[in-house]
Amino acid sequence: NLNLLLDYYRKLFWRFSTFKSRQTLESKFEPLLWQQMQKASDASLKSSYYHAWLSTALSSKAIHKMVELWKGKLKIKGLPLSERDMTTLSYQLAVRRNGNMAREIPSDVLQQQLKRVKDPDRKAQMAYTIPALSSDSAVRDHFFYALRNPVNREHQAWVSTALDYLNHPLRAKSSEKFITSALDLLPEVQRTGDVFFPKSWLDASLSGYNSESAANLIRDYLAKNPDLNQKLRQKVLQSADPVFRAATILQGKKQAN
């Protein structure tokens, strides 16, 4: 139940909140999640609170904690962070390297973390993912358009993770341009991937968006492709449903204000 509620919170925070309301939510819930994590006696509960905190922390105080955790100067009692956890932490720091949030975050956080990783498979996956997290938009562009080559989509789990960060809500304005191309590639993704890959491709490609402009890009694609395989169309509609709902809700709030 706790994990379900925390997942609802993450979705509310990123998908159904404006920038202003997100700041209000963060100011209330960031310290609460950290406090509950510290108080929890069970390691699994600590982990649940930690991951919810990590995925939504935006304040300067929270960023400082994230950096101190990554540097090993701050420890969470009863919750040792594994190599996988530290890699995820570096990803979360990298995606926050914009605006005022970038000041304390090391510019080479990903490269430093890559050197720390010992597991060869995890190291290879991180090397693959790093361009999708680059603060340089040209590097991110190159990563995405390289996915047109099926060779670069062979590790499907890696692709989904990288796309999720590429389309992170904090990068939504610069990454919205990828939506149409990602949808255009869908039949090819189905042809060359396994049966579950098209849905994970769509979920990752649309996960960071809640704007009317993003919703319109999806509607335009569907209107221009009436002959799209029916099963693929249904998958698009399923993955796009939260985008449509969020855009409608947030547009209504703007009009009300």
Side-chain angles (χ1 to χ4, degrees), residues 120-134:
D121 291 335
R122 194 169 295 125
K123 196 177 191 73
Q125 180 177 2
M126 186 174 186
Y128 176 89
T129 307
I130 282 176
L133 283 156
S134 175

Side-chain angles (χ1 to χ4, degrees), residues 26-38 49 53:
E26 203 267 354
S27 67
K28 293 179 179 179
F29 282 91
E30 185 273 321
L32 176 63
L33 291 169
W34 184 265
Q35 181 186 54
Q36 291 299 108
M37 178 190 67
Q38 299 278 37
Y49 283 119
W53 172 84

Side-chain angles (χ1 to χ4, degrees), residues 1 18 74 82 97 118 133:
N1 287 338
T18 62
L74 176 63
S82 66
R97 287 204 73 255
K118 304 301 181 185
L133 283 156

Side-chain angles (χ1 to χ4, degrees), residues 27-74:
S27 67
K28 293 179 179 179
F29 282 91
E30 185 273 321
L32 176 63
L33 291 169
W34 184 265
Q35 181 186 54
Q36 291 299 108
M37 178 190 67
Q38 299 278 37
K39 287 168 57 178
S41 57
D42 183 273
S44 64
L45 292 178
K46 280 183 178 290
S47 180
S48 295
Y49 283 119
Y50 166 75
H51 287 290
W53 172 84
L54 178 65
S55 64
T56 56
L58 295 176
S59 69
S60 57
K61 289 183 178 180
I63 297 294
H64 177 73
K65 288 177 182 175
M66 290 170 67
V67 172
E68 293 295 284
L69 282 168
W70 179 74
K71 289 181 176 179
K73 295 180 179 179
L74 176 63

Side-chain angles (χ1 to χ4, degrees), residues 70-84:
W70 179 74
K71 289 181 176 179
K73 295 180 179 179
L74 176 63
K75 304 289 185 181
I76 302 172
K77 187 177 180 180
L79 187 64
L81 297 181
S82 66
E83 183 178 89
R84 186 187 298 275

Side-chain angles (χ1 to χ4, degrees), residues 117-168:
V117 176
K118 304 301 181 185
D119 182 274
D121 291 335
R122 194 169 295 125
K123 196 177 191 73
Q125 180 177 2
M126 186 174 186
Y128 176 89
T129 307
I130 282 176
L133 283 156
S134 175
S135 57
D136 186 339
S137 61
V139 175
R140 299 199 303 272
D141 290 355
H142 183 269
F143 169 83
F144 176 77
Y145 292 116
L147 293 176
R148 292 169 175 168
N149 186 337
V151 172
N152 296 321
R153 303 195 303 268
E154 286 182 352
H155 295 279
Q156 296 173 18
W158 297 9
V159 175
S160 297
T161 298
L163 280 177
D164 205 44
Y165 283 109
L166 184 75
N167 295 286
H168 192 280

Side-chain angles (χ1 to χ4, degrees), residues 162-204:
L163 280 177
D164 205 44
Y165 283 109
L166 184 75
N167 295 286
H168 192 280
L170 291 173
R171 297 270 174 83
K173 287 185 178 180
S174 61
S175 296
E176 191 175 284
K177 62 187 177 184
F178 298 134
I179 290 177
T180 301
S181 295
L183 293 171
D184 284 337
L185 273 171
L186 184 58
E188 174 71 7
V189 166
Q190 182 191 46
R191 188 181 68 81
T192 59
D194 68 32
V195 66
F196 299 109
F197 191 36
K199 185 61 168 62
S200 63
W201 170 274
L202 285 167
D203 287 343

